[in-house]
Amino acid sequence: MIYITIDGPAGSGKSSVAFYLAKELGFEHLDTGALYRSAALLWLREGERNFFDELEKVKFELKNGILTMNGKALGDEIRTPEIGKVVSKVAEMPKVREIITHKTRELADKRNVVVEGRDIGTVVLPDACVKIFLIASVEERARRRYAQYLSKGIKLKFEDVVREIESRDRIDSERAVAPLKPASDALMFNTDSLTLNEVVSKLKEIVMEKIKKC
Ligand code: C5P
C-alpha cells in the first residue's frame, strides 16, 4: 500500500491539494485536521467531563472520499470560527494526539491514501513513500482562509483571520508533542503565486516519479 503525506501550516492549501492529488492518482484522501476539528467539537459540546472516554469511543470511517463520525458525514459544523479558535488547544493535549494518531493509522491501514495534517510525515506515518510539506506566506494563507469563510456565508474581519492563522501556527509549531515541522526527508513546496491546478499537476509529476521506487 502506498502512503503519501502532505503536511503544512493552516491555509497552506493542504486540503484542496490533497483532495485533487488523491483524485488524480485514484487514491483515498484523509484529512486529519477534520479528526482534530471533530475532537474540538466534542470538547465544546461535552466539556471536560468524560471527554477522553467519549473521544476514544468515536468511530471514524472513510469510504469513497467521505469521512464520517459515528455514521454521520462531517461537514461545515467543524469548519466554523468557533472551532478554529479552540482546535489547536484541543490538539495540543497529548492524550488527544495519542487517540487521533491511533485512529488515523487505522483509517490509513491497507490503503493507497494521501494523508494530510501537521505531523503525518514525522510521527503518524514516518515510513510513507512520499512526503510533501507545503509552505505559503501568512498573507496568502489568510487570504485563502478568508475566501473559504466568505464562501460559507461567514463574514469576519481580515485581521481576525490573520490572527487566527498566526495563533494556530504558533501553538501548532511550539507544542511539546508532535509539533508542526517538516520531516527530514520531506519535499518542501512553496504554493505562493501558483494556482491550485499548477500545484496539483507539479506534485503529481513528482509523486508519480517517486512511487516507482517505493
Ligand atoms: O488542517 P486544519 O487546519 O483543518 O487543522 C485544524 C487543526 O488541527 C490544526 O491547526 C492543528 O491544531 C490540528 N491538527 C494537528 N495535527 C494534524 C492535523 C491537524 O494538530 N495532523
Side-chain angles (χ1 to χ4, degrees), residues 32-33 36-37 87-88 91 97 117-120 168 172 175:
T32 63
Y36 284 97
R37 286 171 178 274
V87 62
S88 291
R97 302 213 67 79
R118 301 291 188 289
D119 60 340
I120 311 302
R168 281 169 54 197
D172 291 347
R175 70 178 169 229

Side-chain angles (χ1 to χ4, degrees), residues 4-7 12-22 24-25 114 130-135 186-191 194-211:
I4 295 165
T5 66
I6 304 189
D7 290 300
S12 56
K14 289 184 309 296
S15 291
S16 315
V17 171
F19 175 85
Y20 287 105
L21 185 63
E24 288 280 319
L25 297 167
V114 178
V130 187
K131 300 180 186 178
I132 296 157
F133 194 91
L134 293 184
I135 38 182
L187 168 90
M188 305 295 283
F189 195 94
N190 191 326
T191 66
L194 291 177
T195 64
L196 177 59
N197 274 346
E198 287 168 336
V199 176
V200 173
S201 68
K202 186 79 202 137
L203 286 178
K204 185 181 171 194
E205 246 174 62
I206 295 171
V207 167
M208 296 293 277
E209 206 39 53
K210 285 209 165 200
I211 58 180

Side-chain angles (χ1 to χ4, degrees), residues 26-199:
F27 280 27
E28 273 288 357
H29 163 224
L30 175 55
D31 169 8
T32 63
L35 306 180
Y36 284 97
R37 286 171 178 274
S38 304
L41 186 67
L42 196 68
W43 172 264
L44 288 178
R45 281 190 186 157
E46 302 283 320
E48 223 166 308
R49 227 168 64 90
N50 298 333
F51 169 65
F52 295 117
D53 289 346
E54 291 301 317
L55 184 60
E56 196 99 60
K57 276 191 246 156
V58 165
K59 190 163 170 52
F60 290 111
E61 283 175 299
L62 178 63
K63 267 188 219 138
N64 305 322
I66 308 220
L67 186 60
T68 58
M69 178 181 179
N70 297 333
K72 190 174 165 285
L74 289 166
D76 286 348
E77 74 281 8
I78 58 164
R79 312 220 171 260
T80 62
E82 289 71 31
I83 299 280
K85 270 199 196 105
V86 298
V87 62
S88 291
K89 281 284 174 200
V90 173
E92 198 179 19
M93 297 181 219
K95 183 78 187 156
V96 170
R97 302 213 67 79
E98 189 190 312
I99 296 171
I100 299 291
T101 297
H102 181 71
K103 289 184 188 290
T104 303
R105 288 183 183 140
E106 280 183 344
L107 285 168
D109 192 37
K110 300 191 184 71
R111 285 181 152 157
N112 290 332
V113 61
V114 178
V115 187
E116 47 137 330
R118 301 291 188 289
D119 60 340
I120 311 302
T122 49
V123 173
V124 183
L125 301 170
D127 298 328
C129 168
V130 187
K131 300 180 186 178
I132 296 157
F133 194 91
L134 293 184
I135 38 182
S137 65
V138 171
E139 296 70 34
E140 175 70 24
R141 293 188 285 125
R143 213 177 46 71
R144 290 178 191 155
R145 192 46 52 93
Y146 182 74
Q148 272 167 13
Y149 279 138
L150 267 191
S151 72
K152 294 190 170 77
I154 301 172
K155 291 198 186 86
L156 291 176
K157 285 198 199 121
F158 184 70
E159 306 87 81
D160 290 341
V161 180
V162 173
R163 259 196 294 276
E164 179 198 314
I165 296 261
E166 286 178 337
S167 148
R168 281 169 54 197
D169 280 359
R170 199 184 58 255
I171 302 171
D172 291 347
S173 325
E174 291 177 1
R175 70 178 169 229
V177 182
L180 165 69
K181 69 168 183 200
S184 56
D185 50 350
L187 168 90
M188 305 295 283
F189 195 94
N190 191 326
T191 66
D192 272 341
S193 74
L194 291 177
T195 64
L196 177 59
N197 274 346
E198 287 168 336
V199 176

